[in-house]
Amino acid sequence: MQGEAIGIEVQAHGGNVYSGICLNVTRRSDWGRAHESYGEDPFVISRMGSAAARGARKHVMVAVRHFAMNSMEALREDGKITCDEKTMNELFLQHFKEVLYESGAEAVVSAGNLVNGVACAENPALLNGILRQRWKLDNLVVASDCTWPVKSGTASIKAGLDLELPFSAGGRTQAVENALEHGTLNWSDIQVMTERILRCQLRYYCRTIQMPTPDPEKIRCQRHIGLARRSVAESMVLLKNDNNFLPLNGASQIKLSVLGVLADRVSTAHQFDTASHAQGPPGTSPLEELRKRHNLSVEYMDGSQKTHVINSALAANVVVLFIRPSSKSEPSLKRRRFSDYFKSRKERSLSQQREAMTSFRDRSHLTLDSSDLETAKAVLSVAGQKTVVVIEAGTSVTIPAFVRQKATAILFSSYGCRQYGKGLRDVLFGEQEPSGRLPFVLPDTEQQLLGKESSTSSHEFKYDDKWGYRKLQQEQQKPAYPFGFGLGYSSFTLNSIWCSHPIIKSSFDMTVNATNIGTRASAVVIQIYASRRSRRDSASVSIISRSLIGFAKEVIKPGENSEIAVTCRISPLAEFRSSSSKMVVAEGEYDLFVSQYEGDGKALTSAFQILNEVDC
């Protein structure tokens, strides 16, 4: 639904391309724009990206990004990623292929960094090699964005890059003219590129010619605003809820103490990243929305005066405490004119270039704000049993043990933007359920994720299969909150599972019987993981022990059970065969783990067999 709403509004604005679907794996939690990703698991990214692309493509062309491996923000042009062929194909490319095949997306936006010594926009092995020759796709390939021109225009055309932005002042125009004149580039290269562009435009014209005229009334319409509000609420992750403290009673009078500077701000990722800028209706802060509730008496403090904060918390029936990420764990954006981002390096002054490097920066820590944590310590020591902690962050953060232990409820979310205040209020009072699940691990300590990584000031990064829950699986470490974790406003038991086997295709269906043992209608999210039981070779020891292969969400009424159908894909279990350049799921026995989060001790277990190799 969200993808379709975006496509409708893009078309209503007179646009014909949407390029906001980021398929990059959050390989590093300290990446400055990790909030753009769907998370750390390629399978989740594949499913979410496909759904968004299919929805938007009903109305516009779709470009997915960034092919294939985006790196650190501040060093986007100069960052050098190294990755072996096996790991790259299994964990960083396969989900791109699945989204492109399933959604019909017309274009691919290249990454801005180097992979194995070659810039992605000029990388023939990635573009013409994998995308076009191996995958047999004819998608347009577009350079990363307006602010990062390609370094070699000739090399980019030979590699398969079709478009560079901005179109009128691209950095390769003069270089291409010189190359044609001196014979280092052939007109046949230009013809191939031009035909690809024209085919893409003609296909779009043919499939949209019967579409109704775009309706300007669809822009910022109430239906889309309501969809954004509901999405904010349902995507929130409830990490803790002792004694069913949430939702709050919507009828009785409540004296509410609201603490923390984030309570009085309209949520926006634009304050951290200009690429997230989008126009829209004015938003409201959580504080504004809470003050609208008829049954609330609200007292607000930013947390700077600790004595008054403690007194307010003691006098309140409920405390809502907002904790933000530290300045070391989120980028701080300096405001500039938007046109400055489209200037070439030659047009920028030295001070502007330096400013650009400091404006877009990466995280040095995964910590929460020290001032907010001081407030939390004071409040939780005297009023923890009635305190709801709200954390809004773009990626993994470390939540100190005293917060996890003493708060009675903890809500975690990404940036909800303009509808965040309304969505949070809906969740607090049970008008919507927080049915989100963590798309990444929340570590016990940041060393669990960053301990052996290179510094973000380094230009070189090695991408292997050890990050997030994969890393913690292999090292047998326990996170604060595991991948896929999240509570609802009820509880569930998983009773039985059924699947047909042996598996002979790349996907299969499972049925899971679940019962709502609580007192409210609630959503259960079934997650299915699988691992190879035995291997014939010893060269695959780096393969992770469990991979997510399916998930499904269903609302069940209290006391009832439901047969939930889950479509599973075996592509996350595939291995890359360099001899044939294919992704293959080997024959053999595989273990299944049916759970409500990764590593769930109450998981149901089963097995399935693959009789013959399956190509993916």
Side-chain angles (χ1 to χ4, degrees), residues 468-480:
Y469 79 84
R470 292 165 167 75
K471 180 176 186 291
L472 270 58
Q473 273 187 13
Q474 293 178 17
E475 297 176 357
Q476 297 184 326
Q477 295 193 63
K478 186 178 180 181

Side-chain angles (χ1 to χ4, degrees), residues 395-449:
T395 185
S396 294
V397 293
T398 53
I399 304 175
F402 77 86
V403 174
R404 303 186 327 241
Q405 293 166 3
K406 293 186 176 182
T408 195
I410 302 175
L411 276 168
F412 180 90
S413 75
S414 188
Y415 306 116
C417 296
R418 295 172 179 86
Q419 296 302 310
Y420 182 76
K422 289 184 171 67
L424 177 61
R425 187 188 69 184
D426 292 343
V427 164
L428 291 176
F429 287 91
E431 292 162 18
Q432 294 287 344
E433 183 186 38
S435 54
R437 299 298 184 262
L438 286 176
F440 39 67
V441 164
L442 292 185
D444 187 44
T445 66
E446 67 178 31
Q447 285 72 28
Q448 284 186 329
L449 298 184

Side-chain angles (χ1 to χ4, degrees), residues 252-413:
S252 62
Q253 289 297 312
I254 298 174
K255 189 173 184 180
L256 187 67
S257 176
V258 179
L259 308 173
V261 295
L262 279 188
D264 199 23
R265 293 182 183 175
V266 177
S267 169
T268 172
H270 180 229
Q271 60 186 307
F272 307 122
D273 170 24
T274 52
S276 299
H277 175 71
Q279 294 182 342
T284 52
S285 69
L287 180 61
E288 289 177 81
E289 291 302 323
L290 289 170
R291 281 176 169 163
K292 293 177 182 177
R293 288 282 308 191
H294 68 280
N295 66 320
L296 293 184
S297 171
V298 179
E299 182 177 22
Y300 167 69
M301 294 182 183
D302 63 11
S304 57
Q305 296 180 317
K306 297 298 184 289
T307 301
H308 292 163
V309 163
I310 293 174
N311 290 337
S312 175
L314 286 170
N317 304 120
V318 177
V319 180
V320 179
L321 173 62
F322 289 79
I323 305 179
R324 63 200 146 157
S326 73
S327 60
K328 295 179 180 180
S329 63
E330 291 289 6
S332 58
L333 179 66
K334 295 182 180 179
R335 299 285 182 182
R336 300 204 305 273
R337 290 180 304 171
F338 189 66
S339 59
D340 287 343
Y341 295 105
F342 295 87
K343 292 181 179 180
S344 68
R345 283 191 166 188
K346 291 181 180 179
E347 293 178 292
R348 294 181 192 174
S349 66
L350 181 61
S351 62
Q352 284 177 320
Q353 291 182 41
R354 288 174 177 168
E355 182 185 353
M357 293 301 289
T358 56
S359 297
F360 295 104
R361 68 176 178 82
D362 302 294
R363 299 164 176 84
S364 56
H365 292 283
L366 305 181
T367 52
L368 297 175
D369 183 82
S370 58
S371 176
D372 287 352
L373 289 179
E374 286 181 15
T375 301
K377 246 178 210 181
V379 170
L380 293 175
S381 64
V382 298
Q385 76 283 359
K386 55 182 176 181
T387 298
V388 179
V389 169
V390 179
I391 300 170
E392 185 188 16
T395 185
S396 294
V397 293
T398 53
I399 304 175
F402 77 86
V403 174
R404 303 186 327 241
Q405 293 166 3
K406 293 186 176 182
T408 195
I410 302 175
L411 276 168
F412 180 90
S413 75

Side-chain angles (χ1 to χ4, degrees), residues 19 33 65-66 76-77 109-110 112 142-150 163-171 275 338-345 347-348:
S19 63
R33 279 164 64 176
R65 60 177 56 217
H66 303 85
R76 199 194 310 185
E77 280 191 297
V109 181
S110 68
V142 185
S144 181
D145 57 41
C146 305
T147 58
W148 306 94
V150 297
L163 296 172
E164 183 196 19
L165 303 178
F167 308 116
S168 59
F338 189 66
S339 59
D340 287 343
Y341 295 105
F342 295 87
K343 292 181 179 180
S344 68
R345 283 191 166 188
E347 293 178 292
R348 294 181 192 174

